[in-house]
Amino acid sequence: MENRHTSLADTLERVLDKGVVIVGDIAVSVVDIELLTLRVRLFVASAQTAREMGMDWWTDDPFFTPKAVDRTAEMKALTQQNAELGDRLAALERALGERS
Amino acid sequence: MSLYAYAITRDRPIELDGPWLIRHRGLALVVADVDLDRFTGLEFDDPAEDSPLAVLAREHDTVVRAVFRHEPVLPLRFGTVLESADAALRLLAARHEEALVRLDQLAGRQEWGVRLRAAAPEPPQLDGLSGTAYLMARRRNLTAADDARRDATAVHEELTRRAAESTRRDPAGDVLLEAAYLVDVPLEDDFHASVHRLTSGLSVEITGPWPPYSFTRMELADA
């Protein structure tokens, strides 16, 4: 019954979200359990995010996400603009070098 | 002084390091003095590994487990504080019968968590793929996802048959099955063998044994 090896996410999920709930005026809850539970859910979700990272290939898949096409186009435009600026800078530097 | 309440158990002699029992007609509430300042602002705390919230949650779990080593428990929700020993007695009296019956049902059983995850699908190779081939590959992936969900439900039904009780959460993300099973201790080897047999080749995480956190859906009111 050691709990050292259980992940924090699993412990929080059970301790904060499960168990007997006491209602009525004899008991006061010292923390806003609902808010806390919500935050813990977010934490548990983020603890799983690493695993899910491999699952988001479809966000860049034009079949599911038409916007992905725009993003590719945008990327291309930016890359092209970057190359053009690089060329212009090189030309300017060359001109400056010739002058001095 | 306020009392932090951890769990309800049977009134039996238990040695605990710190917490003590408040007894009432065969039932006992496991309590300890609490410094309420430790709980202030917790809802804004980021629950990282060494945060105050994590420390308190682990303390809670440690006490519940210490009792659970000896006796069946009904764990209380984290953050339950009573104003006095009298309040504790009223609480134990309020749903006395129901608590005793539930403790009897939970005796000799432990909770196990099982989580099944979807395997990451093959990333599609778009280069040089015809439209038809692309759509067929897409359909294979979608069908595989449907099959995986159906398989997860079959696994859950099969494991439920080997457990005294079970409960399943709505799966989210790549999780296909998020379930807890209350298993008789003598049948645990059987249960685990079934888990391994049914999930071979799948991505499975097993946690436990836990005190029956997921099997104490009870509300105690000062009725």
Side-chain angles (χ1 to χ4, degrees), chain A residues 1-70:
Chain A
M1 288 308 297
E2 289 297 320
N3 65 346
R4 265 194 301 256
H5 305 297
T6 352
S7 82
L8 178 61
D10 282 323
T11 302
L12 287 175
E13 188 183 327
R14 281 180 165 75
V15 170
L16 271 70
D17 204 19
K18 305 276 163 62
V20 178
V21 183
I22 295 183
V23 292
D25 60 349
I26 59 157
V28 290
S29 186
V30 288
V31 289
D32 187 331
I33 289 291
E34 289 310 315
L35 181 55
L36 199 55
T37 305
L38 182 70
R39 288 185 58 80
V40 168
R41 280 196 196 295
L42 291 175
F43 172 75
V44 171
S46 72
Q48 296 178 349
T49 303
R51 293 293 307 270
E52 285 161 19
M53 289 290 265
M55 295 290 293
D56 63 354
W57 53 267
W58 51 268
T59 54
D60 288 322
D61 189 327
F63 184 86
F64 278 152
T65 320
K67 274 185 189 146
V69 179
D70 298 342

Side-chain angles (χ1 to χ4, degrees), chain B residues 117-128:
Chain B
R117 290 180 188 280
E122 302 264 316
Q125 293 295 323
L126 294 176
D127 293 338

